[in-house]
Amino acid sequence: MSMLEVAGLGHAYGGVDAVSDVSFVVEPGELVCIVGPSGCGKSTLLRCIAGLLPPTRGTVSLHGDRVVGVPSDLAVVFQDYSRSLLPWRTVAGNVEFPLRDRGLSTVERRSRVEEALSWVGLSEAAGKHPFELSGGMQQRVSIARALAYRPALMLMDEPFASVDAQTRADLEDLVLTVRASAGMTVLLVTHDIDESVYLADRVLVLSQSPATVVETLKVDLSSPRDQITTRGTDTFVRLRTEIARQIRR
Amino acid sequence: MRWWVRVAVLLGALVVWQLVSVLAANPYFPPPLRILEAAARLWPSAHFTADVLPSLARVFGGWAAASVVGVAFGVALGRSRALADYFEFVFTFLRTLPPPLLVPVFMLVFGISTEMEVVTIAFGTVWPVLLNAVDGARSVDPVLADTARVFRLSRARWIFGVVLPAAGPKIFAGLRVSLSIALILMVISEVVGATSGIGYQLGTAQGASDLPGMWAWIALISLLGYLLNRGLLAVEHRALAWSRP
């Protein structure tokens, strides 16, 4: 069974379509990137998939269950890490916070927090507050929070759009390694064509607003990927050119 | 600024006051040393348990009740558009009433009693807390609200773990305004309708033409105001340490 199935999804704000007739599936363990031009309705699409926004048309199903409201085994990493973390809680406190309503024992919660923080390389910063960390580290905290929650599907909404280029490359590699160790299914939305090719098993290309899927490309690049060599391969260059052409169209 | 500079300025002002009041020799404005004398006579006496403590209890009682009600209603109104639509007009109207205006009404209803004073204080202090709590609860970042929904926080955890801390800075600002209003209302309600308390003693001293005594009570009220504010600031400093990176 597919992890995520989106069928005929559409959303309109006051009669104006933001997303129109989007259909695709994500298989368990896949990392799928949705790439599209700025303002094309990517975030609206992601909010519909997360159950934060009821779609005007169509359906979203998570491992076969129709999504109505936010499903219990889904996590989102938002672009605005600084606004999505609780400034009054420590790094560990932030990661642990959503686990408190999940009926886990203190021991279990603590071990999940430790594991998630070690995955993102923040074990040392567990007792710090978000404001003591750089932007990239704050985004690691929100990734750790999503990982500790152990969702079936992790949605990422432009997760690296607010960090500098070097941090961005580091966080991209972090997502790839963490996804391998946690065996996570990831759906990541971005406007950055190179990023989508570098990260994804499959890239869905969205059109200008109203967003619809104009192309699905399988990324047949070998793993593990490398920021320098992977980006230099013919396959990478061919895919990014293809996507750029689709978006420009 | 160094602490001794502040102390020096304060002492200088007192010295000037002393000199001016001795030279002017106006009985309504006794020199500070006379006031200090009266304070040394009055403050540590039986008045402490009979008047000072009851006054403080009324301030805290009224203020605490107003704080609980104000925060509870404020958070509810701040997070619910519907509730705000129902009540905002009523509250806007009620808060424009100057609280001392209601002392005669409360005196009729409750008589000369502690209830009257506590209700007066509570009525006057609830508004700053309430309005600030509404503001604070409304200002919770939408991304944070989405995050709470995504992680399916329970209602209690959302309110106590997210909304209240996020509204904390605003709530504390309201609490501080309220505390100074509480002190004012304590004095007013005790001057006009009490048989004990600092305000009552202030009125009695004035009636008996004990002017140094009257000034000693006034000085005590301002001293208490200062100490209470400092105490609340200390609590706020601890509770909101996260908001001052």
Side-chain angles (χ1 to χ4, degrees), chain A residues 46 50 52 74-78 142 145-146 154-157, chain B residues 150-151:
Chain A
L46 190 118
L52 288 168
L74 177 140
V76 181
V77 174
F78 294 95
S142 61
R145 179 174 63 184
M154 181 152 93
L155 300 177
M156 304 182 92
D157 184 11
Chain B
V150 162
F151 290 116

Side-chain angles (χ1 to χ4, degrees), chain A residues 67-80:
Chain A
V67 169
V68 184
V70 181
S72 67
D73 47 2
L74 177 140
V76 181
V77 174
F78 294 95
Q79 175 184 342
D80 258 318

Side-chain angles (χ1 to χ4, degrees), chain A residues 11 22 46 70 98 104 107 117 120 130 143 145 152 170 193 200 203 247:
Chain A
H11 190 83
V22 168
L46 190 118
V70 181
L104 299 168
V107 179
L117 285 179
V120 302
I143 292 170
R145 179 174 63 184
D170 292 345
I193 296 170
V203 177
I247 285 179

Side-chain angles (χ1 to χ4, degrees), chain B residues 169-183:
Chain B
K170 289 264 167 72
I171 291 175
F172 267 102
L175 288 177
R176 257 187 293 133
V177 174
S178 282
L179 190 56
S180 55
I181 296 178
L183 212 63

Side-chain angles (χ1 to χ4, degrees), chain A residues 47 51-52 70-72 74-76 78 80 83-88 97-98 100-101 131 145 149, chain B residues 141-144 146-147 149-154 157-158 161-163 165-166 241-245:
Chain A
R47 287 175 65 83
L52 288 168
V70 181
S72 67
L74 177 140
V76 181
F78 294 95
D80 258 318
R83 292 163 63 197
S84 125
L85 295 175
L86 303 173
W88 51 86
F97 193 64
R100 295 194 157 212
D101 287 322
F131 61 78
R145 179 174 63 184
Y149 194 70
Chain B
D141 198 296
V143 178
L144 210 49
D146 276 349
T147 306
R149 282 178 65 202
V150 162
F151 290 116
R152 294 165 48 111
L153 296 187
S154 65
R157 200 167 305 283
W158 159 242
V162 183
V163 178
W242 58 268
S243 69
R244 292 179 313 272

Side-chain angles (χ1 to χ4, degrees), chain A residues 109-180:
Chain A
R109 286 204 305 266
R110 195 169 300 152
S111 83
R112 281 208 197 183
V113 170
E114 276 167 17
E115 182 187 50
L117 285 179
S118 78
W119 276 337
V120 302
L122 280 181
S123 302
E124 304 300 312
K128 291 194 169 163
H129 282 82
F131 61 78
E132 298 174 87
L133 306 178
S134 67
M137 284 165 95
Q138 290 185 33
Q139 190 60 301
R140 281 167 195 254
V141 177
S142 61
I143 292 170
R145 179 174 63 184
L147 291 171
Y149 194 70
R150 302 223 176 129
L153 174 67
M154 181 152 93
L155 300 177
M156 304 182 92
D157 184 11
E158 300 263 8
F160 315 129
S162 312
V163 295
D164 62 82
Q166 181 56 47
T167 308
R168 185 181 186 117
D170 292 345
L171 288 174
E172 285 168 1
D173 288 333
L174 175 86
V175 165
L176 289 176
T177 49
V178 150
R179 170 239 183 177

Side-chain angles (χ1 to χ4, degrees), chain A residues 23-25 30 32-33 202-205 213-219 239 246:
Chain A
S23 300
F24 65 91
V25 294
E30 248 190 325
V32 174
C33 282
R202 211 146 47 86
V203 177
L204 306 177
V205 184
V213 179
V214 289
E215 180 83 88
T216 305
L217 292 162
K218 190 156 170 45
V219 180
L239 284 166
Q246 291 290 345

